[in-house]
Amino acid sequence: MVGWIILGVIAALIAVLLCLRVGVTASFGEELRVTAQIGPATVQIIPPPEKKPAKEKPEKAAAKAEKKPKERKKPDIHLTLEDIRGGLHAVWQSIQGALRRAGKRIRIDPLRLSFVFGDEDPVNTAQWYGWANSAMWAVMPRLEEMIHMPDPRIHMEMDFTAAETKISGTVGASYRIGDLLAIGFAAIGPVLKFGIPFLRKQKAFKKAETARLAAEQKKDGAAEKAA
């Protein structure tokens, strides 16, 4: 009898946990800020909360001051228009799978996005702008039917003087923990289908780039010897 009571309590706790509503809000552009909401509590994730500096001995403080900060290497990723389209297609498939399971229980609020398209080639700027508008008008009406989105706002424009595209805005999503698990299971297939070939392509590109740089160095060395 006691065993059945314990099992009942555990089942009730799991049911409450799966029904607990959580959310994430991200603001990006000049800087990235991410906060998480778990029930009534709000936690700042990025940037992490400042910690009070602990008192250090003068010797340790001097040693830290002498150390030069390590330079962070930027990830060497080669993206093409086809890669981005493939990634967005995988994301869209994941979203569709998630919506079939969660539906209107997912709430997207706020949704404020601003896209300023730019590229060194003005033709690419126009192509990106046209493609993004087509994608938005094809996807957003369907999303609004399937997800609770009280006030979505998306702005797009072109800047032919800019060398790259700038994206900024604030996006928040809230859902039950049970829905989050369903979303995760739905996303695994499409993400792996796109991600594995993409990683292989990046590895092949990096290998070819390394070989090209080695060939150029060898050629420069031979030219110096000939001179």
Side-chain angles (χ1 to χ4, degrees):
M1 184 67 180
V2 176
W4 285 108
I5 293 174
I6 293 173
L7 287 175
V9 170
I10 293 174
L13 289 175
I14 293 174
V16 170
L17 182 64
L18 292 177
C19 292
L20 183 65
R21 199 160 190 86
V22 297
V24 177
T25 302
S27 298
F28 45 91
E30 295 296 329
E31 64 174 353
L32 176 63
R33 301 184 69 87
V34 180
T35 57
Q37 298 85 37
I38 305 173
T42 301
V43 181
Q44 182 173 308
I45 301 174
I46 301 174
E50 293 183 1
K51 295 181 180 179
K52 293 182 178 179
K55 292 183 179 180
E56 293 182 342
K57 293 181 179 180
E59 295 84 2
K60 288 185 178 180
K64 284 186 177 180
E66 290 178 0
K67 289 182 180 180
K68 294 181 180 180
K70 294 182 180 179
E71 294 182 358
R72 293 184 179 179
K73 293 184 178 179
K74 293 183 179 180
D76 187 12
I77 299 176
H78 178 67
L79 282 175
T80 64
L81 181 60
E82 291 302 320
D83 292 331
I84 295 174
R85 285 180 177 177
L88 291 176
H89 179 67
V91 170
W92 177 236
Q93 285 186 317
S94 301
I95 289 173
Q96 286 183 311
L99 294 181
R100 282 194 292 268
R101 301 184 183 215
K104 285 285 186 179
R105 292 193 302 272
I106 300 174
R107 178 185 176 92
I108 305 295
D109 185 46
L111 178 57
R112 308 282 186 272
L113 291 175
S114 174
F115 297 84
V116 181
F117 294 95
D119 194 275
E120 294 178 356
D121 186 350
V123 175
N124 289 339
T125 300
Q127 286 180 343
W128 274 107
Y129 179 76
W131 180 77
N133 269 280
S134 299
M136 183 187 70
W137 288 110
V139 171
M140 284 302 296
R142 201 167 170 193
L143 278 179
E144 290 184 71
E145 290 178 359
M146 295 185 286
I147 303 177
H148 184 44
M149 303 171 68
D151 187 22
R153 297 183 185 181
I154 300 176
H155 171 74
M156 294 185 183
E157 65 178 274
M158 292 182 289
D159 185 356
F160 291 107
T161 63
E164 60 182 12
T165 296
K166 294 181 180 179
I167 304 173
S168 61
T170 301
V171 179
S174 62
Y175 31 73
R176 296 176 183 173
I177 291 179
D179 296 331
L180 183 62
L181 294 176
I183 291 169
F185 285 122
I188 289 174
V191 169
L192 289 179
K193 188 177 179 181
F194 165 76
I196 293 175
F198 176 74
L199 292 176
R200 288 175 180 169
K201 184 179 177 180
Q202 294 300 314
K203 187 176 180 181
F205 172 77
K206 189 177 289 187
K207 187 176 179 180
E209 190 68 12
T210 303
R212 183 184 67 81
L213 291 174
E216 286 182 358
Q217 290 177 354
K218 187 176 181 181
K219 185 178 178 181
D220 292 341
E224 287 179 2
K225 288 181 179 179

